[in-house]
Structure formats: C-alpha cells, structure tokens
Amino acid sequence: MAVALRTCEICGGNHTRPLPELSVSPWPMVVCEDCGFVFLHHVPGYAALVEDYAWEKTSALEKKRRKSQRFAWIDQATRWRLIPGKHLDQFRRKRALGQTGNVLDIGCGEGNRLPPTVTPFGIEISSGLAEQARPGYEAKGGKVICAPAVDALDQFDDNFFSAILMRSYLEHEEKPRAVLEKAFKRLKPGGVIYVRVPNFGSINRRVRGVKWCGFRFPDHVNYFTGTSLKSLAGSIGFAYHRKNWHSLFDDNLIVELSKPAA
C-alpha cells in the first residue's frame, strides 16, 4: 500500500507544490516550497519492495521501456562512451572503501561490489537478491540482512564499520534521513560513506524533462542536487566531499560523506 504525504527529508517541511510536468500517474512528484527538494509524494512502501517492486523486476521493465523510446538505438550503439566513467567510478569506490575492515553495502543486490579483502556485510530489501548475495558474504565472515535499511542498521553495533557503500541506493530510500543518521552511528570515527545518486541538478535533466534517464517510477523517490544532499549530510554531522566536480554535466552525483575523526 502506498504511503501518502511524505514530508521533506531535507528540512522536515510539509509545504509542497505539485510538479505535474514531472509526474507519472499514480506517482505524484512534488517540490518542497521551503528548501526546493524534489521528491515522490506517495511511495510504494517497504513491504511492496520485497516482491512486487523488487529491483530485479522493475529494472527489467525499465530497460524494456527505454528500448521502446524514440532514438533508443543511438544510446545502445554508443554504450562504449560510458566505459571511462565506469572505470573511474570503480577506482573512486575502491579508494574510498579501503582494503580492510568491516564494510557495508546498503542495497547490495546480488553482491560483488566490495573489495575482496574486506569483511563484507550487505543489506538488501529484495528477498531474491539477498539470497543470491548471502553465500558469498558468509564465506568471507560477513552476512546479508534482508530488510529495510532503517531496520537492518539496528542489528549492528555503533562504530562497527570502517566504510559504507550507498551506490544507486539513496534515491530509492523512503527515509534517507533516518538511514543516514543510523549509518553515522555505525561508522567508526574517520569512516566514509561512498554515495552515488542521480543528479537532479544536471543540465541533461533540464533538457530532457520527464524523459531524463534519472526518472524511474516508482523506484526513485528522492531527487537530490548537490545542494540538497550536502544540506542533509551536514545536518547529521557528515563532512561532504564531492568527487565529480563536473557534475553539472553529469547525470550522477558522486560524493564521500565522512564522519569526523575522534
């Protein structure tokens, strides 16, 4: 069942204005009139994400939708253009997460995104993907929890993780503030969260409108800009470090959120 009337996760305000030009029925997009954050007003709810809206199902539908769009063949024929960015993302991620310690991947999917030398832990709301990931994590001394992150984080001690990965996750999270607050406590002093989210502030989004690649209904429920993500992170206590300074021309924001050293 959908959850109605989300309040703004950045400033806590409940004064919103509809954005019909960016909405797809029955998922209304709104903007917070207090701080400008754009988000989905109604969301599927955590229970629906376990099966009905599991990532592996919605991802397949999204690929089919994109292939049906006009000029989709051009995108498919030029996928090579994404290779440099993919390698750069892997390099940044590896450097941020380190090579030792307990490392958590929130929204871990089927796994295999963490450095091979760390003790891996994962949180995944899709029951099917969690089952695929579990054997690999347990073989290295870690584990996978199948639950919403806001609940799963309660199963770990404070200062337990040296790093946390939130790659292609935070845009899906109904309660990003609560998750980041709990992640802050579970991180060791000096620990880092590596975040990658769609960049609502990109020029391409402004040009493409509702056809922008960052829109996914109802999967993506938060549409961050550098300003909104920095505001959210800073209000919790994180230091914000943007890693792709050309992000005005990039459809993604890539940042590190660090917990101050003791």
Side-chain angles (χ1 to χ4, degrees):
M1 181 181 295
V3 178
L5 301 180
R6 290 176 77 208
T7 57
C8 178
E9 288 285 318
I10 307 300
C11 70
N14 57 8
H15 301 99
T16 61
R17 174 170 51 86
L19 295 174
E21 70 277 13
L22 298 181
S23 300
V24 173
S25 180
W27 310 108
M29 194 86 79
V30 296
V31 58
C32 175
E33 294 195 304
D34 296 319
C35 72
F37 182 53
V38 174
F39 57 97
L40 214 60
H41 214 190
H42 301 179
V43 297
Y46 290 130
L49 298 179
V50 175
E51 291 291 346
D52 296 342
Y53 290 102
W55 183 87
E56 63 271 30
K57 295 181 180 179
T58 60
S59 180
L61 292 174
E62 178 65 13
K63 288 180 180 179
K64 184 177 180 180
R65 183 191 69 82
R66 291 186 182 186
K67 286 183 178 180
S68 67
Q69 289 184 330
R70 188 180 182 187
F71 303 127
W73 64 271
I74 297 178
D75 177 68
Q76 292 298 313
T78 60
R79 299 297 288 179
W80 51 267
R81 73 190 190 280
L82 303 177
I83 294 176
K86 180 179 179 181
H87 288 317
L88 182 57
D89 179 51
Q90 291 174 341
F91 171 76
R92 288 173 174 149
R93 194 183 346 146
K94 182 178 179 180
R95 184 175 60 183
L97 299 179
Q99 297 301 306
T100 59
N102 298 325
V103 178
L104 173 65
D105 186 354
I106 301 183
C108 66
E110 69 273 23
N112 302 319
R113 302 198 304 184
L114 299 181
T117 53
V118 304
T119 303
F121 293 82
I123 296 174
E124 175 54 55
I125 197 169
S126 165
S127 57
L129 292 178
E131 284 303 310
Q132 291 182 53
R134 186 166 285 117
Y137 281 65
E138 292 179 349
K140 295 181 179 180
K143 66 179 179 180
V144 173
I145 299 174
C146 182
V150 72
D151 297 325
L153 282 164
D154 290 336
Q155 299 188 35
F156 298 104
D157 294 332
D158 289 353
N159 304 320
F160 185 76
F161 296 109
S162 59
I164 297 176
L165 177 61
M166 295 185 182
R167 186 182 185 278
S168 302
Y169 156 72
L170 208 55
E171 65 270 27
H172 297 265
E173 175 52 56
E174 177 184 334
K175 301 175 181 178
R177 175 174 289 278
V179 167
L180 284 172
E181 288 173 344
K182 292 186 177 185
F184 185 89
K185 294 179 179 179
R186 276 49 179 185
L187 266 182
K188 293 181 179 180
V192 171
I193 300 181
Y194 184 88
V195 178
R196 174 173 167 163
V197 293
N199 178 18
F200 188 77
S202 72
I203 288 178
N204 191 38
R205 193 276 305 171
R206 300 172 193 178
V207 172
R208 295 283 291 165
V210 75
K211 294 183 179 181
W212 178 52
C213 60
F215 288 126
R216 287 185 57 168
F217 299 90
D219 296 46
H220 293 181
V221 301
N222 307 303
Y223 289 91
F224 294 102
T225 63
T227 299
S228 60
L229 185 55
K230 183 177 182 179
S231 177
L232 174 60
S235 69
I236 295 169
F238 287 106
Y240 177 95
H241 311 278
R242 183 179 291 183
K243 293 301 173 180
N244 58 335
W245 285 102
H246 61 295
S247 58
L248 185 63
F249 303 96
D250 196 326
D251 285 320
N252 293 291
L253 282 171
I254 300 174
V255 305
E256 290 181 13
L257 308 180
S258 59
K259 180 176 180 177

mmCIF file of all heavy atoms in Angstrom, residues 6-33:
data_model
loop_
_atom_site.group_PDB
_atom_site.id
_atom_site.type_symbol
_atom_site.label_atom_id
_atom_site.label_comp_id
_atom_site.label_asym_id
_atom_site.label_seq_id
_atom_site.Cartn_x
_atom_site.Cartn_y
_atom_site.Cartn_z
ATOM 1 N N ARG A 6 4.369 12.244 2.114
ATOM 2 C CA ARG A 6 5.711 12.321 2.683
ATOM 3 C C ARG A 6 6.047 13.775 2.960
ATOM 4 O O ARG A 6 5.703 14.661 2.191
ATOM 5 C CB ARG A 6 6.755 11.778 1.709
ATOM 6 C CG ARG A 6 6.742 10.304 1.478
ATOM 7 C CD ARG A 6 7.775 9.952 0.414
ATOM 8 N NE ARG A 6 9.136 9.964 0.929
ATOM 9 C CZ ARG A 6 10.209 10.230 0.184
ATOM 10 N NH1 ARG A 6 10.082 10.561 -1.087
ATOM 11 N NH2 ARG A 6 11.411 10.197 0.708
ATOM 12 N N THR A 7 6.752 14.003 4.050
ATOM 13 C CA THR A 7 7.283 15.338 4.304
ATOM 14 C C THR A 7 8.696 15.407 3.746
ATOM 15 O O THR A 7 9.303 14.392 3.398
ATOM 16 C CB THR A 7 7.294 15.651 5.805
ATOM 17 O OG1 THR A 7 8.059 14.639 6.481
ATOM 18 C CG2 THR A 7 5.881 15.680 6.358
ATOM 19 N N CYS A 8 9.239 16.608 3.663
ATOM 20 C CA CYS A 8 10.564 16.798 3.090
ATOM 21 C C CYS A 8 11.629 16.191 3.988
ATOM 22 O O CYS A 8 11.698 16.488 5.189
ATOM 23 C CB CYS A 8 10.830 18.294 2.901
ATOM 24 S SG CYS A 8 12.479 18.659 2.252
ATOM 25 N N GLU A 9 12.496 15.358 3.402
ATOM 26 C CA GLU A 9 13.557 14.702 4.164
ATOM 27 C C GLU A 9 14.748 15.621 4.408
ATOM 28 O O GLU A 9 15.615 15.305 5.211
ATOM 29 C CB GLU A 9 14.019 13.442 3.420
ATOM 30 C CG GLU A 9 13.035 12.309 3.457
ATOM 31 C CD GLU A 9 12.985 11.615 4.807
ATOM 32 O OE1 GLU A 9 14.056 11.390 5.400
ATOM 33 O OE2 GLU A 9 11.875 11.308 5.275
ATOM 34 N N ILE A 10 14.797 16.757 3.738
ATOM 35 C CA ILE A 10 15.913 17.676 3.915
ATOM 36 C C ILE A 10 15.650 18.635 5.076
ATOM 37 O O ILE A 10 16.452 18.749 6.005
ATOM 38 C CB ILE A 10 16.182 18.478 2.632
ATOM 39 C CG1 ILE A 10 16.355 17.530 1.430
ATOM 40 C CG2 ILE A 10 17.413 19.374 2.813
ATOM 41 C CD1 ILE A 10 17.491 16.544 1.571
ATOM 42 N N CYS A 11 14.505 19.309 5.025
ATOM 43 C CA CYS A 11 14.226 20.330 6.042
ATOM 44 C C CYS A 11 13.078 19.972 6.972
ATOM 45 O O CYS A 11 12.813 20.702 7.931
ATOM 46 C CB CYS A 11 13.942 21.669 5.367
ATOM 47 S SG CYS A 11 12.371 21.727 4.460
ATOM 48 N N GLY A 12 12.362 18.870 6.684
ATOM 49 C CA GLY A 12 11.238 18.474 7.524
ATOM 50 C C GLY A 12 9.954 19.214 7.227
ATOM 51 O O GLY A 12 8.939 18.994 7.897
ATOM 52 N N GLY A 13 9.949 20.076 6.228
ATOM 53 C CA GLY A 13 8.763 20.852 5.906
ATOM 54 C C GLY A 13 7.672 20.029 5.249
ATOM 55 O O GLY A 13 7.928 18.984 4.649
ATOM 56 N N ASN A 14 6.435 20.502 5.348
ATOM 57 C CA ASN A 14 5.312 19.814 4.709
ATOM 58 C C ASN A 14 4.556 20.737 3.753
ATOM 59 O O ASN A 14 3.414 20.467 3.406
ATOM 60 C CB ASN A 14 4.365 19.228 5.760
ATOM 61 C CG ASN A 14 3.815 20.277 6.725
ATOM 62 O OD1 ASN A 14 4.023 21.465 6.529
ATOM 63 N ND2 ASN A 14 3.120 19.831 7.762
ATOM 64 N N HIS A 15 5.220 21.820 3.340
ATOM 65 C CA HIS A 15 4.621 22.709 2.347
ATOM 66 C C HIS A 15 5.172 22.321 0.971
ATOM 67 O O HIS A 15 6.333 22.583 0.664
ATOM 68 C CB HIS A 15 4.960 24.175 2.659
ATOM 69 C CG HIS A 15 4.491 24.617 4.000
ATOM 70 N ND1 HIS A 15 5.316 24.673 5.097
ATOM 71 C CD2 HIS A 15 3.263 25.016 4.427
ATOM 72 C CE1 HIS A 15 4.630 25.105 6.140
ATOM 73 N NE2 HIS A 15 3.378 25.310 5.764
ATOM 74 N N THR A 16 4.350 21.670 0.179
ATOM 75 C CA THR A 16 4.797 21.180 -1.122
ATOM 76 C C THR A 16 3.940 21.730 -2.244
ATOM 77 O O THR A 16 2.782 22.110 -2.038
ATOM 78 C CB THR A 16 4.763 19.640 -1.175
ATOM 79 O OG1 THR A 16 3.408 19.188 -0.972
ATOM 80 C CG2 THR A 16 5.663 19.034 -0.108
ATOM 81 N N ARG A 17 4.523 21.749 -3.419
ATOM 82 C CA ARG A 17 3.828 22.172 -4.631
ATOM 83 C C ARG A 17 3.923 21.057 -5.663
ATOM 84 O O ARG A 17 5.008 20.524 -5.914
ATOM 85 C CB ARG A 17 4.454 23.454 -5.169
ATOM 86 C CG ARG A 17 3.903 23.919 -6.510
ATOM 87 C CD ARG A 17 4.401 25.322 -6.849
ATOM 88 N NE ARG A 17 5.844 25.439 -6.730
ATOM 89 C CZ ARG A 17 6.697 25.120 -7.705
ATOM 90 N NH1 ARG A 17 6.243 24.615 -8.850
ATOM 91 N NH2 ARG A 17 8.001 25.271 -7.520
ATOM 92 N N PRO A 18 2.806 20.666 -6.269
ATOM 93 C CA PRO A 18 2.826 19.586 -7.264
ATOM 94 C C PRO A 18 3.651 19.959 -8.487
ATOM 95 O O PRO A 18 3.724 21.128 -8.884
ATOM 96 C CB PRO A 18 1.349 19.414 -7.637
ATOM 97 C CG PRO A 18 0.584 20.040 -6.527
ATOM 98 C CD PRO A 18 1.439 21.156 -6.012
ATOM 99 N N LEU A 19 4.287 18.941 -9.083
ATOM 100 C CA LEU A 19 5.036 19.109 -10.325
ATOM 101 C C LEU A 19 4.431 18.165 -11.369
ATOM 102 O O LEU A 19 5.000 17.127 -11.696
ATOM 103 C CB LEU A 19 6.517 18.781 -10.105
ATOM 104 C CG LEU A 19 7.287 19.706 -9.154
ATOM 105 C CD1 LEU A 19 8.707 19.159 -8.921
ATOM 106 C CD2 LEU A 19 7.343 21.126 -9.705
ATOM 107 N N PRO A 20 3.263 18.519 -11.913
ATOM 108 C CA PRO A 20 2.586 17.617 -12.856
ATOM 109 C C PRO A 20 3.407 17.336 -14.103
ATOM 110 O O PRO A 20 3.293 16.262 -14.693
ATOM 111 C CB PRO A 20 1.286 18.358 -13.188
ATOM 112 C CG PRO A 20 1.560 19.793 -12.852
ATOM 113 C CD PRO A 20 2.506 19.753 -11.695
ATOM 114 N N GLU A 21 4.271 18.274 -14.498
ATOM 115 C CA GLU A 21 5.078 18.077 -15.700
ATOM 116 C C GLU A 21 6.158 17.013 -15.507
ATOM 117 O O GLU A 21 6.727 16.526 -16.487
ATOM 118 C CB GLU A 21 5.726 19.401 -16.111
ATOM 119 C CG GLU A 21 6.826 19.916 -15.183
ATOM 120 C CD GLU A 21 6.326 20.681 -13.971
ATOM 121 O OE1 GLU A 21 5.102 20.617 -13.696
ATOM 122 O OE2 GLU A 21 7.137 21.344 -13.302
ATOM 123 N N LEU A 22 6.441 16.643 -14.261
ATOM 124 C CA LEU A 22 7.442 15.611 -13.965
ATOM 125 C C LEU A 22 6.831 14.372 -13.320
ATOM 126 O O LEU A 22 7.557 13.491 -12.869
ATOM 127 C CB LEU A 22 8.525 16.179 -13.034
ATOM 128 C CG LEU A 22 9.353 17.339 -13.574
ATOM 129 C CD1 LEU A 22 10.392 17.762 -12.546
ATOM 130 C CD2 LEU A 22 10.035 16.975 -14.889
ATOM 131 N N SER A 23 5.514 14.302 -13.288
ATOM 132 C CA SER A 23 4.828 13.207 -12.611
ATOM 133 C C SER A 23 4.307 12.184 -13.601
ATOM 134 O O SER A 23 4.020 12.502 -14.753
ATOM 135 C CB SER A 23 3.657 13.747 -11.788
ATOM 136 O OG SER A 23 4.094 14.669 -10.812
ATOM 137 N N VAL A 24 4.205 10.950 -13.136
ATOM 138 C CA VAL A 24 3.608 9.856 -13.901
ATOM 139 C C VAL A 24 2.574 9.193 -13.005
ATOM 140 O O VAL A 24 2.906 8.740 -11.906
ATOM 141 C CB VAL A 24 4.668 8.832 -14.351
ATOM 142 C CG1 VAL A 24 4.006 7.625 -14.993
ATOM 143 C CG2 VAL A 24 5.665 9.464 -15.316
ATOM 144 N N SER A 25 1.335 9.150 -13.430
ATOM 145 C CA SER A 25 0.258 8.582 -12.630
ATOM 146 C C SER A 25 0.538 7.112 -12.298
ATOM 147 O O SER A 25 0.984 6.357 -13.179
ATOM 148 C CB SER A 25 -1.067 8.697 -13.395
ATOM 149 O OG SER A 25 -2.117 8.161 -12.639
ATOM 150 N N PRO A 26 0.321 6.682 -11.051
ATOM 151 C CA PRO A 26 -0.252 7.397 -9.908
ATOM 152 C C PRO A 26 0.804 7.905 -8.933
ATOM 153 O O PRO A 26 0.590 7.880 -7.716
ATOM 154 C CB PRO A 26 -1.099 6.302 -9.248
ATOM 155 C CG PRO A 26 -0.261 5.063 -9.416
ATOM 156 C CD PRO A 26 0.440 5.221 -10.756
ATOM 157 N N TRP A 27 1.959 8.336 -9.443
ATOM 158 C CA TRP A 27 3.084 8.725 -8.590
ATOM 159 C C TRP A 27 3.362 10.219 -8.737
ATOM 160 O O TRP A 27 4.110 10.638 -9.614
ATOM 161 C CB TRP A 27 4.323 7.902 -8.952
ATOM 162 C CG TRP A 27 4.042 6.430 -9.015
ATOM 163 C CD1 TRP A 27 3.973 5.652 -10.135
ATOM 164 C CD2 TRP A 27 3.776 5.568 -7.912
ATOM 165 N NE1 TRP A 27 3.682 4.363 -9.804
ATOM 166 C CE2 TRP A 27 3.547 4.274 -8.434
ATOM 167 C CE3 TRP A 27 3.710 5.754 -6.528
ATOM 168 C CZ2 TRP A 27 3.268 3.175 -7.633
ATOM 169 C CZ3 TRP A 27 3.423 4.669 -5.724
ATOM 170 C CH2 TRP A 27 3.202 3.406 -6.266
ATOM 171 N N PRO A 28 2.759 11.045 -7.872
ATOM 172 C CA PRO A 28 2.919 12.498 -7.995
ATOM 173 C C PRO A 28 4.273 12.991 -7.477
ATOM 174 O O PRO A 28 4.706 12.635 -6.385
ATOM 175 C CB PRO A 28 1.782 13.041 -7.131
ATOM 176 C CG PRO A 28 1.565 11.974 -6.092
ATOM 177 C CD PRO A 28 1.834 10.667 -6.789
ATOM 178 N N MET A 29 4.916 13.821 -8.267
ATOM 179 C CA MET A 29 6.162 14.466 -7.870
ATOM 180 C C MET A 29 5.822 15.838 -7.288
ATOM 181 O O MET A 29 4.943 16.544 -7.794
ATOM 182 C CB MET A 29 7.078 14.627 -9.067
ATOM 183 C CG MET A 29 8.510 14.964 -8.701
ATOM 184 S SD MET A 29 9.477 13.500 -8.358
ATOM 185 C CE MET A 29 9.812 12.964 -10.040
ATOM 186 N N VAL A 30 6.551 16.198 -6.215
ATOM 187 C CA VAL A 30 6.327 17.499 -5.594
ATOM 188 C C VAL A 30 7.671 18.140 -5.285
ATOM 189 O O VAL A 30 8.706 17.476 -5.249
ATOM 190 C CB VAL A 30 5.503 17.379 -4.288
ATOM 191 C CG1 VAL A 30 4.103 16.861 -4.569
ATOM 192 C CG2 VAL A 30 6.215 16.495 -3.269
ATOM 193 N N VAL A 31 7.639 19.453 -5.037
ATOM 194 C CA VAL A 31 8.827 20.184 -4.615
ATOM 195 C C VAL A 31 8.521 20.838 -3.274
ATOM 196 O O VAL A 31 7.423 21.365 -3.057
ATOM 197 C CB VAL A 31 9.242 21.243 -5.659
ATOM 198 C CG1 VAL A 31 8.124 22.241 -5.925
ATOM 199 C CG2 VAL A 31 10.509 21.951 -5.226
ATOM 200 N N CYS A 32 9.460 20.768 -2.361
ATOM 201 C CA CYS A 32 9.320 21.426 -1.065
ATOM 202 C C CYS A 32 9.439 22.931 -1.274
ATOM 203 O O CYS A 32 10.439 23.415 -1.817
ATOM 204 C CB CYS A 32 10.389 20.931 -0.099
ATOM 205 S SG CYS A 32 10.398 21.798 1.492
ATOM 206 N N GLU A 33 8.433 23.670 -0.849
ATOM 207 C CA GLU A 33 8.452 25.117 -1.042
ATOM 208 C C GLU A 33 9.365 25.824 -0.052
ATOM 209 O O GLU A 33 9.643 27.018 -0.210
ATOM 210 C CB GLU A 33 7.033 25.668 -0.943
ATOM 211 C CG GLU A 33 6.130 25.191 -2.073
ATOM 212 C CD GLU A 33 4.852 25.984 -2.196
ATOM 213 O OE1 GLU A 33 4.110 26.057 -1.194
ATOM 214 O OE2 GLU A 33 4.598 26.535 -3.289
#
